Amino acid sequence: MAMSVRTVCSALKRFTPLHASSWVSKKKGFYCKMSTESSSLTHTITLPNKQNEPFRIVAAPGLSNSDFWSAVESSLFKQWLHNLQIENGILADGTMTLRQVLIQGVDMFGKRIGFLKFKADIFDKQTGKMVPGIVFARGPAVAVLILLEAEGETYAVLTEQARVPTGRMCLELPAGMLDDDKGDFVGTAVREVEEEIGIKLNVEDLVDLTAFLDSATGCRVIPSGGGCDEEISIFLYRGRVEKEIITQLQGKETGLREHGELIKVRVVPYKKLWRTTADCNVLVAVALLEMATKEGLLPTFT
């Protein structure tokens, strides 16, 4: 089976290290001039076209010097600054201004930042009121809707795992965060399916369902924009298998168990999928698939 793939590759911008007392970067789409103030945990930034509106980055009490600078230099934070300035960014039309960012917490995944927590003070110039600005940054992610046809029935393959933030065992699509700055969404999707389901997919067999969205959306799904920066690309895989494969997958234990991924595979008839789980990725994937099918946008499944 060969399918066309819309390769989504939006690499996060890299910039010159910020430790220098003053520097200028003029890479495409971003320009900033920075100067370090007397306090080792305070930094000042001036964004492009905002030369009269510099803002401070401040460390919350207890945040270490290394965590502070890791946060400031992280791709998560740089991407957030970039998003502020794009065509539909908060600061794009000049009606709002950013005055301060308070770095509150950093969670490391090995040598890189996995999660970043900060508070941004952004004000509406006309009213003088501050807009809600608490940010949990975790960056882009992928999810894959796997549909397997066996003996005339279509099944969706899900994962069941403990999700401590919800306090529940959750049924979900195979999914994962991008763990580098290369923006390899398709490659990450393939890897996550192999780790969580045990199925090796080919890149060319994936269809990017979020690519059917209007380009103004960024062609990704934003599941919780009121508090989190996460943007998700949702892919589709379709295949035909023997009914024996469906039986073998049901209840299979998978995941990187040395990393605490205690996953069980669950197989659900597709026609029941939308009522089976509250996972946002599942419900969005079903909606995108049904609408894309209705409008004849999907490649032919042979």
Side-chain angles (χ1 to χ4, degrees):
M1 176 180 64
M3 296 184 182
S4 62
V5 179
R6 181 188 183 278
T7 304
V8 181
C9 182
S10 179
L12 298 178
K13 305 243 181 230
R14 293 181 178 273
F15 304 103
T16 306
L18 310 185
H19 291 299
S21 60
S22 180
W23 61 270
V24 175
S25 174
K26 294 184 178 180
K27 293 190 177 183
K28 184 178 180 181
F30 191 90
Y31 165 91
C32 64
K33 180 179 180 182
M34 300 191 176
S35 61
T36 306
E37 298 181 353
S38 58
S39 170
S40 61
L41 295 183
T42 301
H43 207 56
T44 300
I45 296 180
T46 301
L47 296 175
N49 302 320
K50 303 290 180 183
Q51 297 301 312
N52 297 323
E53 299 178 10
F55 70 92
R56 295 195 312 160
I57 309 174
V58 181
L63 191 74
S64 70
N65 186 76
S66 62
D67 280 352
F68 176 74
W69 284 109
S70 292
V72 172
E73 296 174 356
S74 69
S75 60
L76 290 176
F77 189 63
K78 290 171 182 175
Q79 184 62 43
W80 179 76
L81 290 178
H82 172 75
N83 289 346
L84 292 176
Q85 305 164 76
I86 59 178
E87 185 176 357
N88 61 344
I90 292 174
L91 303 182
D93 64 2
T95 60
M96 295 189 185
T97 182
L98 171 61
R99 296 181 185 173
Q100 178 174 288
V101 173
L102 176 67
I103 305 295
Q104 298 172 312
V106 173
D107 287 298
M108 303 299 296
F109 288 7
K111 295 182 179 180
R112 70 180 182 88
I113 289 183
F115 299 144
L116 174 62
K117 171 76 160 43
F118 60 91
K119 182 177 181 293
D121 293 344
I122 295 181
F123 289 82
D124 178 77
K125 293 180 180 179
Q126 182 175 3
T127 65
K129 300 293 184 180
M130 186 168 66
V131 299
I134 296 175
V135 181
F136 172 57
R138 57 175 295 167
V142 299
V144 186
L145 174 61
I146 301 174
L147 298 182
L148 301 179
E149 184 179 313
E151 297 182 0
E153 179 82 51
T154 300
Y155 298 88
V157 183
L158 306 177
T159 65
E160 180 185 69
Q161 53 187 313
R163 289 305 192 187
V164 175
T166 70
R168 302 178 183 181
M169 300 296 295
C170 294
L171 281 177
E172 307 172 345
L173 293 185
M177 300 164 56
L178 269 68
D179 58 8
D180 56 39
D181 296 342
K182 299 177 182 179
D184 185 10
F185 289 84
V186 182
T188 300
V190 169
R191 186 184 68 248
E192 291 298 330
V193 169
E194 185 172 7
E195 291 176 356
E196 297 189 1
I197 304 298
I199 298 176
K200 177 66 175 178
L201 302 182
N202 296 317
V203 168
E204 60 268 21
D205 292 336
L206 296 180
V207 177
D208 184 355
L209 293 175
T210 39
F212 297 130
L213 297 173
D214 190 279
S215 60
T217 68
C219 295
R220 296 180 202 157
V221 175
I222 301 174
S224 188
C228 183
D229 73 329
E230 185 178 41
E231 297 179 342
I232 303 175
S233 293
I234 298 180
F235 295 89
L236 167 69
Y237 170 80
R238 295 177 292 181
R240 290 189 177 91
V241 298
E242 299 295 328
K243 188 62 178 290
E244 177 185 0
I245 299 298
I246 302 299
T247 302
Q248 291 174 357
L249 285 172
Q250 191 70 267
K252 180 181 178 181
E253 295 185 350
T254 62
L256 300 177
R257 306 185 83 78
E258 66 275 16
H259 293 168
E261 290 186 352
L262 308 179
I263 296 173
K264 287 187 178 180
V265 178
R266 300 298 184 192
V267 184
V268 177
Y270 176 72
K271 61 187 177 183
K272 297 182 179 180
L273 180 60
W274 72 277
R275 306 183 71 173
T276 301
T277 174
D279 178 43
C280 176
N281 290 336
V282 169
L283 300 177
V284 171
V286 170
L288 290 173
L289 174 59
E290 292 296 322
M291 293 305 299
T293 300
K294 180 179 179 181
E295 297 192 18
L297 300 176
L298 290 177
T300 302
F301 178 44
T302 58

